[in-house]
Amino acid sequence: MKKRIFALMTAVVLVLALGSTLAFSVENRVIDEAGIFTQEEIAQLESLAEKYSAACGLELMIVTKESTGSMSADWYAGEEFRKAGVTDGALMLLDMEDRYAWLSGTGRGAQLLPDETMELLLDLIYGKLKRDDFAGAAEAFLKEAQVEARRASGELMFPRMSLVAWLVCLGIPLIAAGGFCIWVVRDYQFRDVQYEYPCRQLGRVELSQSQDIFLGKTVTSRTIQRSSSSRSGGSRSSGGRSGAGRHF
């Protein structure tokens, strides 16, 4: 009996230790091996990564490296997912030697953030990367990635805009439409007037006879061989991951 209790307690301790290790590795969502962030920026990015990860249900990460060497950025992204124990997530990898940014998603992250969405995210952060505003680019990636993930999952039906933006988008068309209606009413002053066309005086009908002559018919038939091979385009989303990269 004592052996069973000891074995049970040992199992519980191991499970708790394993869970703590996994939680710790996932909580370190900002891995700055290149040293491009200050301690304040790392703390801020960690807080945002935790917040946005909880909002979209994906593990969002930021990884910087001095160099990826001969290995591809996609390979390093897969290694970072593996080391952190992330099966559903997305990350931004910055290779500072080649000045190359790679955005990657894995598992559900690849489904919600496919290659096309990653290209869009690159467009949104590219200006900050060119200005060496790496903290700003990382913050923008975290924010926009969770927005796009929530929109793809159906949680967000419309893009997020401020109250002023909504007023501009809705107010201008309404004002323009109202002004056009007022102008039409005032200019034409619709009246209940009935107009009868004088058919007997102005109408005229002429009938003519036509004849169709069948000259002949020629039928040409051709057999098109069906190709046995099919062509399919490639996708970077193979292997359960999505990705897009660009030099900055």
Side-chain angles (χ1 to χ4, degrees):
M1 185 67 181
K2 293 183 178 180
K3 291 183 178 180
R4 291 182 179 179
I5 296 176
F6 178 76
L8 180 61
M9 294 179 60
T10 304
V12 171
V13 171
L14 290 176
V15 169
L16 292 176
L18 179 59
S20 300
T21 303
L22 293 177
F24 179 78
S25 63
V26 173
E27 287 177 358
N28 286 312
R29 297 183 175 93
V30 180
I31 305 173
D32 185 24
E33 295 183 5
I36 62 176
F37 301 134
T38 65
Q39 292 299 320
E40 291 77 11
E41 290 172 341
I42 292 177
Q44 174 69 9
L45 292 174
E46 285 279 7
S47 176
L48 292 176
E50 181 179 359
K51 171 185 174 182
Y52 292 139
S53 296
C56 66
L58 301 176
E59 292 295 341
L60 303 179
M61 302 173 60
I62 304 294
V63 180
T64 70
K65 288 188 173 293
E66 295 181 358
S67 173
T68 57
S70 59
M71 306 305 296
S72 67
D74 185 34
W75 181 87
Y76 267 105
E79 282 296 294
E80 293 299 334
F81 285 134
R82 183 189 62 80
K83 289 189 295 184
V86 173
T87 57
D88 300 307
L91 63 77
M92 179 181 76
L93 172 67
L94 297 181
D95 177 2
M96 301 310 298
E97 182 180 55
D98 293 335
R99 293 185 66 85
Y100 188 74
W102 176 259
L103 308 184
S104 181
T106 186
R108 189 165 175 266
Q111 298 174 2
L112 298 178
L113 304 173
D115 297 346
E116 297 78 10
T117 304
M118 291 301 191
E119 289 285 355
L120 173 63
L121 295 178
L122 268 178
D123 292 337
L124 295 175
I125 67 174
Y126 187 71
K128 296 181 183 295
L129 292 175
K130 290 290 290 184
R131 297 192 300 269
D132 289 350
D133 182 11
F134 303 121
E139 182 175 342
F141 166 75
L142 295 172
K143 177 181 178 181
E144 299 301 331
Q146 65 93 19
V147 169
E148 293 300 325
R150 294 170 64 191
R151 183 175 293 123
S153 63
E155 182 180 348
L156 295 181
M157 301 302 295
F158 300 99
R160 282 188 170 183
M161 294 189 298
S162 63
L163 179 60
V164 175
W166 277 112
L167 291 176
V168 171
C169 292
L170 297 178
I172 292 179
L174 291 176
I175 293 174
F180 178 76
C181 292
I182 295 174
W183 173 78
V184 170
V185 172
R186 293 185 59 182
D187 191 66
Y188 286 90
Q189 293 295 321
F190 296 115
R191 298 180 179 88
D192 187 15
V193 178
Q194 296 182 355
Y195 175 74
E196 296 182 357
Y197 183 78
C199 296
R200 295 182 180 275
Q201 294 80 4
L202 302 179
R204 184 175 64 180
V205 178
E206 295 183 359
L207 302 177
S208 61
Q209 183 177 2
S210 63
Q211 183 177 4
D212 296 331
I213 301 176
F214 182 73
L215 299 178
K217 179 174 68 174
T218 302
V219 178
T220 302
S221 62
R222 179 178 300 170
T223 302
I224 300 176
Q225 297 293 334
R226 186 180 298 273
S227 175
S228 60
S229 62
S230 61
R231 184 177 63 180
S232 60
S235 174
R236 285 174 294 179
S237 298
S238 60
R241 287 212 305 271
S242 63
R246 191 178 305 171
H247 287 280
F248 59 88

